[in-house]
Amino acid sequence: MVAPLDRANIDTDAIIPKQFLKSIKRSGFGQNLFDEWRYLDHGEPGMDSSKRTLNPDFILNQLRYQGAQILLARSNFGCGSSREHAPWALQDYGFRVVIAPSFADIFFSNCFKIGLLPIVLGTDSIDRIFSEVDSTEGYALTVNLEDQTVTTPCGEICSFDTDPFRRHCLLNGLDEISLTLQHMDKIIAFEQRRRTEQPWLFK
Amino acid sequence: MQTLYDKLWQGHIVHEESDKPDEMALVYIDRHLVHEVTSPQAFEGLRIAGRKPWRLDSILAVADHNVPTTERSHGITDPISRLQVDTLDQNCEDLGITEFKMTDLRQGIVHVVGPEQGATLPGMTVVCGDSHTSTHGAFACLAFGIGTSEVEHVLATQCLLLKKAKSMQILVEGNLGPGVTAKDIALAIIGKIGTAGGNGYVIEFAGNAIRELSMEARMTICNMAIEGGSRAGMIAVDETTIDYIKGRPFAPRGDLWERATTYWRTLKSDEGAAFDRVVTLDAAQIKPQVTWGTSPEMVTTIDGRVPDPAQVTDTVKRHDMENALKYMGLTPNLPISEIYLDKIFIGSCTNSRIEDLRAAAVVVRGRHIAANIKLAMVVPGSGLVKRQAEEEGLDKVFRDAGFEWREPGCSMCLAMNDDRLSAGERCASTSNRNFEGRQGPGGRTHLVSPAMAAAAAVAGHFVDVREIY
């Protein structure tokens, strides 16, 4: 199911405000996703979110969007800081896919590292999906990463592109560090050459 | 013929699956800067997997986001902030990582500390779990912010998997007017290309107006590259770069210095190298800039007015402007010079270096902050910047004018410590982001240069600093 957030330039400060970045954990950020828009009171770490006042005007709080796994937004989604806490919060809230006409570079790359799929679709498709979501309760899209397609309820298919390597990692749940360490001999060789050519870079 | 970016990219490739331009490449990282906010989960991941940092001497750590800017002898009061800083200290101690602790004179904002120590050297790849790592590109580095998974990846492998970006050259030619600074250039660029303009690009800033800037000013420009959407900004090496580095603690000496500088002088785009996009600005036309909205691209000049959304045809854009004006408590067509302030913040990785403090001090010397200013604060970028400023008597200039003179850190740029705006408060800030809630929930941020912030402090509202000089 799709939840629409009709704004451009949604920054990572809005996605997860800085006070929640003090956590040294990787989980639990979902309750503070879009904190300043979602609640009427000011949130601080450690607060029981079930006791806080929800902002009835914030779209994600509407009953019809509860349980949505796809977030639909406007251009330059995820701009601002490099905090991976932003994709963590989206994922922890329950989103598995974010669809927008464009994403900020660091956010985009961070998503793939944790298995959240950012999908770029053309502005026309996005406009159409926004209006269909608005007029259809329970509007759902089918996302097929292998085929790189998004299918609308009436069967319209929108194609998207992902980098083959990133797609492979996502589909197979691969750990990038282990993959990189398969090239350990090349890293060591590169480093030795560098040590000779630019010794001032090493202590 | 290669661009500077081409040279830096090619010089760091460890492995490529193929030579197709669109393939991911394994890229070697020379310098890894670490702070307390984006590293704990990476260190934990490393520990769980039973891995060790690949190359300890590539890492430099410093706590900056959570540290108090007031008296530090009692430590950090907020237990959650304290735990995060203690966690960094513990991780560095356990693993043998060089860290400047909170009470170390060399402590400060990671992007001020790196260059100041000479830990940022030309030709390096520099990463940090912080988007403003683009700052280090001022030294002809490929420097960019990364997420926590990538922090762990660099710790474990000294490499990152990257796809080469497109290249953009931003040429700033001509002479800057008096009172117009690097921050104004940066904001004018963002006003022109938009906050998404640099998405997918690495920017090289060039042109004689850039060449004439000091290293501090170049860092301000590269720092703001990310606000134009570009993960990395960079500037070629010249004698200004080399003079700045000479003698710094981590810089090479003796024969190595000679060898290094010979190489560094090659770090520029070849004559006639092609860029995917070229943007040109006339420096003489740039006026002092002030942001009016909740994105750095929502910017105008000091003699301008708050724009009117009714004049905008694009519905998404109009909607964003209306939201921004509502949040900022501004009405369309209000002259920028009639915007009154509550607080003034001079600091952040954008504008907290010695030159920034000098520029602000020139304006406030012998004057006093206006009666409506509830708080004006100067937060130097590092302990060493603070000491230098004190040696020059700048602390006295600021204090006499009614400013608070604080300890170094990120402070009210992002308000993770106690320095923040209250709801509805309006601030002239030398930082880099005017996002909703950035300086405190409900806080209203206007981004300006240090000289413009100082002038606003004295007048109580925005004023053209060129009239004060």
Side-chain angles (χ1 to χ4, degrees), chain B residues 175-401:
Chain B
N175 298 318
L176 274 186
V180 183
T181 66
K183 182 65 162 287
D184 301 303
I185 300 180
L187 287 169
I189 289 170
I190 295 163
K192 185 167 173 134
I193 68 171
T195 46
N199 282 2
Y201 288 89
V202 158
I203 297 176
E204 180 178 346
F205 300 97
N208 75 302
I210 301 289
R211 293 259 69 85
E212 283 165 23
L213 295 175
S214 67
M215 285 316 292
E216 284 86 350
R218 292 180 192 185
M219 284 188 254
T220 300
I221 303 240
C222 290
N223 172 280
M224 295 288 283
I226 184 64
E227 308 314 330
S230 182
R231 207 168 171 179
M234 54 181 65
I235 295 173
V237 168
D238 62 10
E239 295 314 304
T240 306
T241 324
I242 290 169
D243 290 347
Y244 178 96
I245 297 166
K246 192 162 193 181
R248 295 192 181 260
F250 286 61
R253 289 163 206 284
D255 285 350
L256 278 186
W257 172 258
E258 295 308 321
R259 271 177 72 185
T261 50
T262 306
Y263 166 63
W264 293 345
R265 288 193 173 93
T266 68
L267 294 172
K268 54 186 172 189
S269 290
D270 296 330
E271 194 79 37
F275 290 83
D276 296 307
R277 187 179 169 194
V278 177
V279 175
T280 314
L281 273 86
D282 178 1
Q285 299 297 317
I286 299 174
K287 297 174 183 174
Q289 309 276 311
V290 182
T291 64
W292 51 265
T294 53
S295 162
E297 71 184 16
M298 294 174 168
V299 64
T300 187
T301 51
I302 180 61
D303 56 358
R305 289 167 183 269
V306 174
D308 185 353
Q311 307 292 318
V312 176
T313 44
D314 180 333
T315 48
V316 175
K317 206 167 177 182
R318 186 169 62 230
H319 184 58
D320 282 349
M321 281 175 78
E322 286 163 353
N323 276 339
L325 292 186
K326 189 173 162 213
Y327 181 86
M328 293 297 289
L330 293 172
T331 47
N333 301 315
L334 178 77
I336 297 296
S337 58
E338 287 177 24
I339 297 175
Y340 282 76
L341 286 318
D342 301 301
K343 288 185 174 170
I344 308 291
F345 173 61
I346 297 177
S348 87
C349 58
T350 313
N351 281 130
S352 64
R353 298 177 182 83
I354 188 67
E355 185 182 280
D356 300 316
L357 306 193
R358 287 177 190 146
V362 165
V363 175
V364 301
R365 190 183 294 273
R367 298 189 170 102
H368 201 276
I369 61 171
N372 58 306
I373 301 295
K374 293 186 224 168
L375 172 73
M377 60 198 283
V378 182
V379 183
S382 72
L384 290 170
V385 169
K386 181 168 183 261
R387 187 178 69 180
Q388 162 124 32
E390 286 169 356
E391 282 166 6
E392 295 178 19
L394 304 186
D395 58 325
K396 189 164 186 315
V397 172
F398 285 116
R399 282 202 173 105
D400 288 351

Side-chain angles (χ1 to χ4, degrees), chain A residues 162-180:
Chain A
T162 45
D163 173 77
F165 175 78
R166 284 170 164 162
R167 187 167 67 246
H168 176 70
C169 286
L170 271 189
L171 286 169
N172 298 289
L174 297 177
D175 164 25
E176 277 191 17
I177 295 180
S178 305
L179 289 178
T180 298

